[in-house]
Amino acid sequence: MVKLSIIGTGNVAFHLAKAFSQAQGVKLQFVAGRDSEKLRTFEGFTTTLDLNKELEETFYSDVILIAVSDASIAAVSQKLIESKALIVHTSGSAAIEILDQNKHCGVFYPLQSFSKEKELVYKEIPFLIEAKLQGDLMILKDLTKSLSASYFTVNSKDRAALHLAAVFSNNFTNHILTEAKQLCNDHKVSFELLKPLMLETVQKAFSIGPENSQTGPAKRKDTPTINKQLSALKSAEQKELYALLTQAIQNHYER
């Protein structure tokens, strides 16, 4: 039985706490954080601790997951130097070296977008794991198995590259969809009508490759349509985004 604890009160911490509280072979000992209000949402999963007052409890865990912002990882791990636990962060972009002051350290990064109101299917989530010691890596593999998830041993450099690709494919795409929804709202047409198109776009991207499935006025160099659509946009930001992406698509296919 692996005794596991989590430091952090954000979306990643919430979902992992919920999942590990139900996982076989794992005992979720506590969730720690500085915000007492946010900690209340974890009370149904396990004991909660004030990170500023009750650090002695962290010395009784086998694994401590640091699920905080990248900027806070080093400061939190510094508080755990005396702990014999395997100290693990959940960041996609932070290198394992940020935990160098901890004898046992690793990375446990779920490559997925986390929102508290959306349930997750862990068997569909790849976990990118890393550790400096083989025994620690085996523990991380066992943790992913307890969630029925897949694991991939990935070093910090490659994980950062995947995280950057995730920003493009998830965060940037989501913002573009936000703009698309705003256009639909402005013209009082249903955003839902775009769903089949988006599902087909993603399916083709992963079946034949996004570079082979690109269509539209930018790819065709359909200047009249491009100019007409630019003129139809009311927002300066939308115009800038449209022009930038149009140029990027054309540049790609001129290589």
Side-chain angles (χ1 to χ4, degrees):
M1 180 73 69
V2 177
K3 294 179 290 184
L4 178 141
S5 300
I6 297 174
I7 297 178
T9 54
N11 290 345
V12 174
F14 177 84
H15 279 286
L16 290 181
K18 183 177 182 180
F20 280 123
S21 70
Q22 303 167 358
Q24 294 293 319
V26 176
K27 169 62 176 177
L28 182 60
Q29 289 192 297
F30 65 81
V31 173
R34 294 188 175 92
D35 189 321
S36 58
E37 189 67 31
K38 289 182 179 179
L39 277 173
R40 288 194 182 95
T41 64
F42 292 84
E43 290 176 351
F45 307 142
T46 186
T47 301
T48 60
L49 300 177
D50 185 329
L51 184 59
N52 296 312
K53 299 177 182 177
E54 301 170 284
L55 275 177
E56 66 275 6
E57 293 291 334
T58 66
F59 301 131
Y60 300 100
S61 300
D62 298 316
V63 180
I64 300 175
L65 291 183
I66 301 176
V68 299
S69 67
D70 288 7
S72 300
I73 293 173
V76 171
S77 66
Q78 186 71 30
K79 295 177 179 288
L80 304 171
I81 289 178
E82 300 300 323
S83 175
K84 295 180 180 179
L86 168 57
I87 310 300
V88 181
H89 74 64
T90 60
S91 168
S93 58
I96 193 173
E97 283 75 20
I98 200 170
L99 301 175
D100 270 351
Q101 66 269 36
N102 304 101
K103 182 178 179 181
H104 296 276
C105 60
V107 180
F108 190 74
Y109 170 56
L111 185 50
Q112 185 54 276
S113 175
F114 287 76
S115 301
K116 282 186 179 176
E117 59 275 8
K118 179 73 166 59
E119 291 293 329
L120 296 173
V121 181
Y122 282 88
K123 65 181 180 181
E124 298 176 357
I125 300 175
F127 279 75
L128 310 186
I129 62 174
E130 182 180 10
K132 293 188 175 181
L133 300 176
Q134 190 61 33
D136 294 338
L137 189 64
M138 291 303 299
I139 292 173
L140 297 182
K141 289 180 180 180
D142 288 341
L143 287 178
T144 59
K145 291 176 183 177
S146 75
L147 298 177
S148 300
S150 316
Y151 65 80
F152 298 84
T153 305
V154 179
N155 63 37
S156 291
K157 181 179 179 181
D158 291 343
R159 187 179 67 258
L162 281 165
H163 183 264
L164 178 57
V167 169
F168 271 86
S169 61
N170 177 45
N171 304 135
F172 291 169
T173 298
N174 192 72
H175 177 69
I176 290 170
L177 286 173
T178 299
E179 295 293 346
K181 185 177 181 181
Q182 185 61 54
L183 285 170
C184 290
N185 291 343
D186 290 345
H187 293 275
K188 295 181 173 54
V189 294
S190 174
F191 178 63
E192 284 291 320
L193 292 174
L194 296 176
K195 186 174 181 179
L197 173 65
M198 288 307 305
L199 293 176
E200 177 70 7
T201 299
V202 172
Q203 185 179 49
K204 284 197 299 185
F206 286 94
S207 60
I208 65 175
E211 69 282 1
N212 297 318
S213 57
Q214 184 72 56
T215 61
K219 172 73 181 301
R220 297 192 303 269
K221 293 187 177 180
D222 182 353
T223 302
T225 297
I226 291 169
N227 289 337
K228 181 180 179 180
Q229 292 184 336
L230 272 171
S231 298
L233 293 171
K234 306 302 182 186
S235 161
E237 288 185 354
Q238 287 180 342
K239 286 179 182 288
E240 184 179 2
L241 185 61
Y242 184 102
L244 182 65
L245 290 174
T246 295
Q247 190 61 58
I249 291 170
Q250 292 178 345
N251 290 346
H252 177 85
Y253 292 97
E254 287 173 358
R255 294 173 187 169

